[in-house]
Amino acid sequence: MPRPSPVRLYGSLVLAGMQAKLNYRADFLVMAGAAILMQAMGYVFLWIVFRQIPTVAGWTLWELVVVYALVFITEGCVSLFFEGLWRFNGLLNRGEFDVFLVRPVSPVLQVIVHDVGMNGIGNVLLGSVMVAQALWHADLDWTLPKVLIALVLFASAVAVRGATVLAAAALGFWTGSPANTAMHVVHNMANFAQFPLSIYGRGLQALLTFGVPFAFVSYYPAAWLFGKEHIGWIGLLSPLVAVYSVLAARWLFEQGIRRYESTGS
């Protein structure tokens, strides 16, 4: 009997995880509702700011809403489909990662699907509503090529976000602590991507472009979408950045596996 493809196996495991979590419907509704309320506060903040200031660094309200919402949508996708990475340090410290190494399935895939973050659905729903509302008000001239490119840029944004989490999780091989501080630092850095990159200093701009490339999650794709001529072309590099980020994160994880010595228990 042939082995299922990694993509099919991943889909099956994620679906099984979702079904298991949905058995506790009250928990799911609370988590999704809490995520929506938390992100809605940011939307209200933007609305209040733009009542006083018509533009921020050359971005209008609805343009900035797209930048802001893309961070939430990608965060929701990573929570929903890559939540297992947040449990990785616990697996290492309890010695449970050893089991993943003897199975005929990629350890990375097993870690990723170890858990499903249903709270991500709240982020995805609210972020999608925000983007839909913003694009409606922005009145863009949509063509088929533009739609296809926009979808590719969005997929690239999710890949970049997921790769940064994978890379941060892989650092657990070297830290050896029960909690991975790097993951929380990287997660909080995404907050800077909620606003135009030009409002920050050059050092932070360089970090968010070349170091931890969250600028390709929201800022540069939105700049291309809204025709920001001086920077919009950079958004078209998002697929290349996504491929590089995924390969680099995978390489870092594999290096960690090579130095892994188990718990000895």
Side-chain angles (χ1 to χ4, degrees), residues 3-19 74-85 104-117 158-159 162-163 166 250:
R3 293 182 182 178
S5 67
V7 174
R8 184 177 179 181
L9 180 60
Y10 170 78
S12 299
L13 292 174
V14 168
L15 182 60
M18 289 182 178
Q19 291 173 340
T74 55
E75 178 182 341
C77 289
V78 171
S79 294
L80 191 59
F81 301 113
F82 300 87
E83 183 70 10
L85 294 172
V105 181
S106 167
V108 175
L109 178 61
Q110 294 181 71
V111 171
I112 288 174
V113 300
H114 182 65
D115 196 8
V116 177
V158 175
L166 175 59
R250 180 63 184 268

Short mmCIF file of all heavy atoms in Angstrom, two decimals, residues 3-19 74-85 104-117 158-159 162-163 166 250:
data_model
loop_
_atom_site.label_atom_id
_atom_site.label_comp_id
_atom_site.label_asym_id
_atom_site.label_seq_id
_atom_site.Cartn_x
_atom_site.Cartn_y
_atom_site.Cartn_z
N ARG A 3 2.39 5.00 0.46
CA ARG A 3 2.27 5.99 1.51
C ARG A 3 1.50 7.21 1.00
O ARG A 3 1.64 7.61 -0.16
CB ARG A 3 3.65 6.45 1.97
CG ARG A 3 4.47 5.40 2.69
CD ARG A 3 5.79 6.01 3.12
NE ARG A 3 6.64 5.02 3.77
CZ ARG A 3 7.87 5.29 4.22
NH1 ARG A 3 8.37 6.51 4.06
NH2 ARG A 3 8.58 4.35 4.81
N PRO A 4 0.69 7.83 1.86
CA PRO A 4 0.02 9.07 1.44
C PRO A 4 1.03 10.19 1.29
O PRO A 4 2.07 10.20 1.96
CB PRO A 4 -0.95 9.34 2.60
CG PRO A 4 -0.33 8.66 3.78
CD PRO A 4 0.33 7.43 3.23
N SER A 5 0.76 11.13 0.42
CA SER A 5 1.65 12.26 0.22
C SER A 5 1.68 13.11 1.48
O SER A 5 0.72 13.12 2.26
CB SER A 5 1.18 13.10 -0.97
OG SER A 5 -0.05 13.72 -0.67
N PRO A 6 2.78 13.86 1.72
CA PRO A 6 2.85 14.72 2.90
C PRO A 6 1.70 15.73 2.98
O PRO A 6 1.18 16.00 4.06
CB PRO A 6 4.20 15.42 2.72
CG PRO A 6 5.02 14.48 1.91
CD PRO A 6 4.03 13.84 0.97
N VAL A 7 1.30 16.26 1.81
CA VAL A 7 0.21 17.24 1.80
C VAL A 7 -1.10 16.59 2.24
O VAL A 7 -1.84 17.15 3.07
CB VAL A 7 0.06 17.87 0.40
CG1 VAL A 7 -1.17 18.78 0.36
CG2 VAL A 7 1.31 18.64 0.02
N ARG A 8 -1.36 15.40 1.71
CA ARG A 8 -2.60 14.70 2.07
C ARG A 8 -2.58 14.29 3.53
O ARG A 8 -3.59 14.39 4.24
CB ARG A 8 -2.76 13.47 1.18
CG ARG A 8 -4.06 12.72 1.42
CD ARG A 8 -4.19 11.55 0.44
NE ARG A 8 -5.42 10.80 0.67
CZ ARG A 8 -5.77 9.73 -0.03
NH1 ARG A 8 -4.97 9.30 -1.00
NH2 ARG A 8 -6.90 9.10 0.24
N LEU A 9 -1.42 13.82 4.00
CA LEU A 9 -1.30 13.43 5.40
C LEU A 9 -1.49 14.62 6.32
O LEU A 9 -2.18 14.53 7.34
CB LEU A 9 0.07 12.80 5.63
CG LEU A 9 0.36 12.32 7.06
CD1 LEU A 9 -0.63 11.25 7.49
CD2 LEU A 9 1.79 11.79 7.15
N TYR A 10 -0.88 15.75 5.94
CA TYR A 10 -1.02 16.97 6.74
C TYR A 10 -2.49 17.38 6.83
O TYR A 10 -3.00 17.69 7.90
CB TYR A 10 -0.20 18.10 6.11
CG TYR A 10 -0.45 19.45 6.70
CD1 TYR A 10 0.11 19.82 7.93
CD2 TYR A 10 -1.26 20.39 6.05
CE1 TYR A 10 -0.12 21.05 8.48
CE2 TYR A 10 -1.50 21.62 6.60
CZ TYR A 10 -0.93 21.96 7.81
OH TYR A 10 -1.17 23.18 8.35
N GLY A 11 -3.18 17.37 5.69
CA GLY A 11 -4.59 17.75 5.68
C GLY A 11 -5.43 16.83 6.56
O GLY A 11 -6.32 17.30 7.29
N SER A 12 -5.15 15.55 6.49
CA SER A 12 -5.91 14.59 7.30
C SER A 12 -5.69 14.81 8.79
O SER A 12 -6.64 14.77 9.59
CB SER A 12 -5.51 13.16 6.92
OG SER A 12 -5.80 12.89 5.55
N LEU A 13 -4.44 15.05 9.17
CA LEU A 13 -4.13 15.24 10.59
C LEU A 13 -4.71 16.55 11.12
O LEU A 13 -5.21 16.61 12.25
CB LEU A 13 -2.61 15.21 10.79
CG LEU A 13 -1.94 13.86 10.55
CD1 LEU A 13 -0.43 13.98 10.62
CD2 LEU A 13 -2.44 12.84 11.56
N VAL A 14 -4.65 17.61 10.32
CA VAL A 14 -5.23 18.89 10.74
C VAL A 14 -6.74 18.76 10.90
O VAL A 14 -7.33 19.25 11.87
CB VAL A 14 -4.88 20.01 9.74
CG1 VAL A 14 -5.71 21.27 10.02
CG2 VAL A 14 -3.40 20.35 9.82
N LEU A 15 -7.37 18.08 9.94
CA LEU A 15 -8.82 17.89 10.01
C LEU A 15 -9.19 17.08 11.25
O LEU A 15 -10.17 17.41 11.95
CB LEU A 15 -9.31 17.17 8.75
CG LEU A 15 -10.82 16.93 8.65
CD1 LEU A 15 -11.57 18.25 8.69
CD2 LEU A 15 -11.15 16.17 7.37
N ALA A 16 -8.42 16.06 11.55
CA ALA A 16 -8.69 15.27 12.75
C ALA A 16 -8.53 16.11 14.01
O ALA A 16 -9.32 15.99 14.96
CB ALA A 16 -7.75 14.07 12.80
N GLY A 17 -7.51 16.97 14.02
CA GLY A 17 -7.30 17.85 15.16
C GLY A 17 -8.44 18.82 15.35
O GLY A 17 -8.88 19.10 16.47
N MET A 18 -8.96 19.36 14.25
CA MET A 18 -10.09 20.28 14.32
C MET A 18 -11.33 19.59 14.86
O MET A 18 -12.06 20.13 15.70
CB MET A 18 -10.39 20.85 12.93
CG MET A 18 -9.37 21.83 12.42
SD MET A 18 -9.86 22.49 10.80
CE MET A 18 -8.54 23.64 10.49
N GLN A 19 -11.57 18.38 14.37
CA GLN A 19 -12.74 17.64 14.83
C GLN A 19 -12.65 17.35 16.32
O GLN A 19 -13.65 17.41 17.04
CB GLN A 19 -12.86 16.33 14.03
CG GLN A 19 -13.23 16.55 12.58
CD GLN A 19 -13.19 15.26 11.77
OE1 GLN A 19 -12.54 14.28 12.15
NE2 GLN A 19 -13.86 15.26 10.63
N THR A 74 -2.82 36.32 8.81
CA THR A 74 -1.69 35.38 8.78
C THR A 74 -1.44 34.79 10.16
O THR A 74 -1.08 33.61 10.29
CB THR A 74 -0.42 36.07 8.26
OG1 THR A 74 -0.15 37.25 9.06
CG2 THR A 74 -0.58 36.47 6.81
N GLU A 75 -1.63 35.59 11.20
CA GLU A 75 -1.50 35.06 12.56
C GLU A 75 -2.54 33.97 12.81
O GLU A 75 -2.24 32.93 13.41
CB GLU A 75 -1.67 36.18 13.59
CG GLU A 75 -1.60 35.70 15.03
CD GLU A 75 -1.84 36.83 16.03
OE1 GLU A 75 -1.69 38.01 15.65
OE2 GLU A 75 -2.17 36.53 17.19
N GLY A 76 -3.76 34.20 12.34
CA GLY A 76 -4.81 33.21 12.50
C GLY A 76 -4.50 31.93 11.74
O GLY A 76 -4.72 30.82 12.25
N CYS A 77 -3.97 32.07 10.52
CA CYS A 77 -3.62 30.88 9.72
C CYS A 77 -2.53 30.07 10.40
O CYS A 77 -2.58 28.83 10.44
CB CYS A 77 -3.18 31.31 8.33
SG CYS A 77 -4.51 31.95 7.28
N VAL A 78 -1.52 30.76 10.94
CA VAL A 78 -0.43 30.06 11.62
C VAL A 78 -0.93 29.39 12.88
O VAL A 78 -0.55 28.25 13.20
CB VAL A 78 0.73 31.04 11.92
CG1 VAL A 78 1.77 30.37 12.82
CG2 VAL A 78 1.38 31.50 10.64
N SER A 79 -1.81 30.06 13.63
CA SER A 79 -2.37 29.45 14.83
C SER A 79 -3.19 28.21 14.48
O SER A 79 -3.12 27.19 15.17
CB SER A 79 -3.27 30.45 15.58
OG SER A 79 -2.51 31.53 16.08
N LEU A 80 -3.94 28.30 13.40
CA LEU A 80 -4.82 27.22 13.02
C LEU A 80 -4.07 26.01 12.48
O LEU A 80 -4.39 24.86 12.79
CB LEU A 80 -5.83 27.73 11.98
CG LEU A 80 -7.02 26.82 11.64
CD1 LEU A 80 -7.85 26.53 12.88
CD2 LEU A 80 -7.88 27.49 10.57
N PHE A 81 -3.05 26.28 11.67
CA PHE A 81 -2.38 25.19 10.95
C PHE A 81 -0.98 24.85 11.45
O PHE A 81 -0.40 23.86 11.03
CB PHE A 81 -2.32 25.51 9.47
CG PHE A 81 -3.67 25.72 8.83
CD1 PHE A 81 -4.05 26.96 8.36
CD2 PHE A 81 -4.57 24.67 8.73
CE1 PHE A 81 -5.30 27.15 7.79
CE2 PHE A 81 -5.82 24.85 8.16
CZ PHE A 81 -6.18 26.10 7.69
N PHE A 82 -0.40 25.69 12.32
CA PHE A 82 0.97 25.45 12.79
C PHE A 82 1.08 25.54 14.31
O PHE A 82 2.15 25.79 14.85
CB PHE A 82 1.93 26.46 12.16
CG PHE A 82 2.00 26.42 10.66
CD1 PHE A 82 1.10 27.15 9.90
CD2 PHE A 82 2.93 25.65 10.01
CE1 PHE A 82 1.15 27.12 8.52
CE2 PHE A 82 2.99 25.61 8.63
CZ PHE A 82 2.09 26.34 7.87
N GLU A 83 -0.03 25.37 15.02
CA GLU A 83 -0.05 25.56 16.46
C GLU A 83 0.89 24.60 17.20
O GLU A 83 1.40 24.93 18.28
CB GLU A 83 -1.48 25.37 16.99
CG GLU A 83 -1.66 25.61 18.48
CD GLU A 83 -1.51 27.06 18.88
OE1 GLU A 83 -1.45 27.92 17.98
OE2 GLU A 83 -1.45 27.33 20.09
N GLY A 84 1.14 23.45 16.61
CA GLY A 84 2.01 22.48 17.26
C GLY A 84 3.40 23.02 17.56
O GLY A 84 4.07 22.55 18.49
N LEU A 85 3.84 24.01 16.79
CA LEU A 85 5.17 24.58 17.02
C LEU A 85 5.27 25.23 18.39
O LEU A 85 6.35 25.28 18.99
CB LEU A 85 5.50 25.60 15.92
CG LEU A 85 5.67 25.02 14.50
CD1 LEU A 85 5.79 26.14 13.49
CD2 LEU A 85 6.89 24.11 14.45
N PRO A 104 7.88 6.97 10.30
CA PRO A 104 8.26 7.20 8.89
C PRO A 104 7.58 8.44 8.29
O PRO A 104 7.09 8.40 7.16
CB PRO A 104 7.76 5.91 8.21
CG PRO A 104 6.56 5.52 9.01
CD PRO A 104 6.91 5.87 10.44
N VAL A 105 7.55 9.49 9.07
CA VAL A 105 6.95 10.76 8.64
C VAL A 105 7.89 11.88 9.07
O VAL A 105 8.55 11.78 10.11
CB VAL A 105 5.55 10.97 9.27
CG1 VAL A 105 4.93 12.28 8.80
CG2 VAL A 105 4.63 9.80 8.93
N SER A 106 7.96 12.95 8.30
CA SER A 106 8.82 14.07 8.61
C SER A 106 8.58 14.59 10.03
O SER A 106 7.43 14.87 10.40
CB SER A 106 8.59 15.21 7.62
OG SER A 106 9.19 16.41 8.07
N PRO A 107 9.62 14.72 10.87
CA PRO A 107 9.44 15.26 12.21
C PRO A 107 8.85 16.66 12.21
O PRO A 107 8.05 17.01 13.09
CB PRO A 107 10.87 15.27 12.78
CG PRO A 107 11.59 14.22 12.01
CD PRO A 107 11.00 14.26 10.63
N VAL A 108 9.22 17.46 11.22
CA VAL A 108 8.67 18.82 11.13
C VAL A 108 7.16 18.76 10.96
O VAL A 108 6.41 19.47 11.65
CB VAL A 108 9.30 19.59 9.96
CG1 VAL A 108 8.63 20.96 9.81
CG2 VAL A 108 10.79 19.76 10.16
N LEU A 109 6.69 17.91 10.07
CA LEU A 109 5.26 17.78 9.84
C LEU A 109 4.54 17.30 11.10
O LEU A 109 3.47 17.82 11.45
CB LEU A 109 5.02 16.78 8.70
CG LEU A 109 3.55 16.48 8.35
CD1 LEU A 109 2.84 17.75 7.91
CD2 LEU A 109 3.47 15.41 7.27
N GLN A 110 5.14 16.36 11.80
CA GLN A 110 4.50 15.84 13.02
C GLN A 110 4.40 16.92 14.10
O GLN A 110 3.39 17.01 14.80
CB GLN A 110 5.31 14.65 13.56
CG GLN A 110 5.29 13.44 12.65
CD GLN A 110 6.07 12.30 13.27
OE1 GLN A 110 5.64 11.70 14.24
NE2 GLN A 110 7.23 12.00 12.70
N VAL A 111 5.44 17.74 14.23
CA VAL A 111 5.41 18.81 15.23
C VAL A 111 4.34 19.83 14.87
O VAL A 111 3.57 20.28 15.73
CB VAL A 111 6.79 19.48 15.33
CG1 VAL A 111 6.71 20.74 16.20
CG2 VAL A 111 7.81 18.51 15.91
N ILE A 112 4.28 20.20 13.61
CA ILE A 112 3.33 21.23 13.18
C ILE A 112 1.89 20.82 13.47
O ILE A 112 1.08 21.63 13.95
CB ILE A 112 3.51 21.51 11.67
CG1 ILE A 112 4.81 22.29 11.43
CG2 ILE A 112 2.32 22.30 11.11
CD1 ILE A 112 5.14 22.50 9.98
N VAL A 113 1.56 19.55 13.22
CA VAL A 113 0.17 19.11 13.38
C VAL A 113 -0.09 18.53 14.76
O VAL A 113 -1.16 17.97 15.01
CB VAL A 113 -0.20 18.06 12.31
CG1 VAL A 113 -0.06 18.64 10.92
CG2 VAL A 113 0.66 16.80 12.45
N HIS A 114 0.88 18.68 15.67
CA HIS A 114 0.70 18.15 17.03
C HIS A 114 -0.48 18.80 17.74
O HIS A 114 -1.08 18.21 18.64
CB HIS A 114 1.98 18.36 17.83
CG HIS A 114 1.94 17.81 19.22
ND1 HIS A 114 1.83 16.46 19.47
CD2 HIS A 114 1.96 18.42 20.43
CE1 HIS A 114 1.80 16.26 20.78
NE2 HIS A 114 1.87 17.43 21.39
N ASP A 115 -0.81 20.03 17.35
CA ASP A 115 -1.95 20.72 17.95
C ASP A 115 -2.57 21.64 16.91
O ASP A 115 -1.93 22.01 15.92
CB ASP A 115 -1.50 21.53 19.17
CG ASP A 115 -2.66 21.95 20.05
OD1 ASP A 115 -3.79 21.49 19.80
OD2 ASP A 115 -2.45 22.74 20.98
N VAL A 116 -3.81 22.00 17.13
CA VAL A 116 -4.55 22.91 16.24
C VAL A 116 -5.07 24.07 17.08
O VAL A 116 -5.74 23.85 18.08
CB VAL A 116 -5.73 22.19 15.55
CG1 VAL A 116 -6.53 23.18 14.69
CG2 VAL A 116 -5.22 21.05 14.69
N GLY A 117 -4.75 25.29 16.68
CA GLY A 117 -5.18 26.47 17.43
C GLY A 117 -6.49 27.01 16.89
O GLY A 117 -6.51 27.84 15.97
N VAL A 158 1.54 34.12 4.31
CA VAL A 158 1.30 33.04 5.28
C VAL A 158 2.55 32.17 5.42
O VAL A 158 2.92 31.76 6.54
CB VAL A 158 0.09 32.18 4.85
CG1 VAL A 158 -0.08 30.99 5.79
CG2 VAL A 158 -1.18 33.03 4.84
N ALA A 159 3.21 31.88 4.29
CA ALA A 159 4.42 31.05 4.33
C ALA A 159 5.53 31.74 5.11
O ALA A 159 6.23 31.09 5.90
CB ALA A 159 4.88 30.74 2.91
N GLY A 162 4.61 31.56 8.83
CA GLY A 162 4.82 30.21 9.35
C GLY A 162 6.30 29.86 9.47
O GLY A 162 6.72 29.22 10.44
N ALA A 163 7.11 30.31 8.50
CA ALA A 163 8.54 30.00 8.52
C ALA A 163 9.23 30.68 9.69
O ALA A 163 10.14 30.10 10.31
CB ALA A 163 9.19 30.43 7.21
N LEU A 166 8.51 28.61 12.71
CA LEU A 166 9.28 27.37 12.67
C LEU A 166 10.73 27.62 13.05
O LEU A 166 11.32 26.85 13.83
CB LEU A 166 9.20 26.75 11.27
CG LEU A 166 10.06 25.50 11.04
CD1 LEU A 166 9.66 24.38 12.00
CD2 LEU A 166 9.93 25.03 9.59
N ARG A 250 13.56 25.38 7.62
CA ARG A 250 13.68 23.92 7.56
C ARG A 250 15.13 23.49 7.82
O ARG A 250 15.38 22.51 8.54
CB ARG A 250 13.21 23.43 6.19
CG ARG A 250 13.28 21.92 6.00
CD ARG A 250 12.37 21.19 6.97
NE ARG A 250 12.50 19.75 6.85
CZ ARG A 250 11.75 18.99 6.05
NH1 ARG A 250 10.81 19.56 5.29
NH2 ARG A 250 11.92 17.70 6.00
#
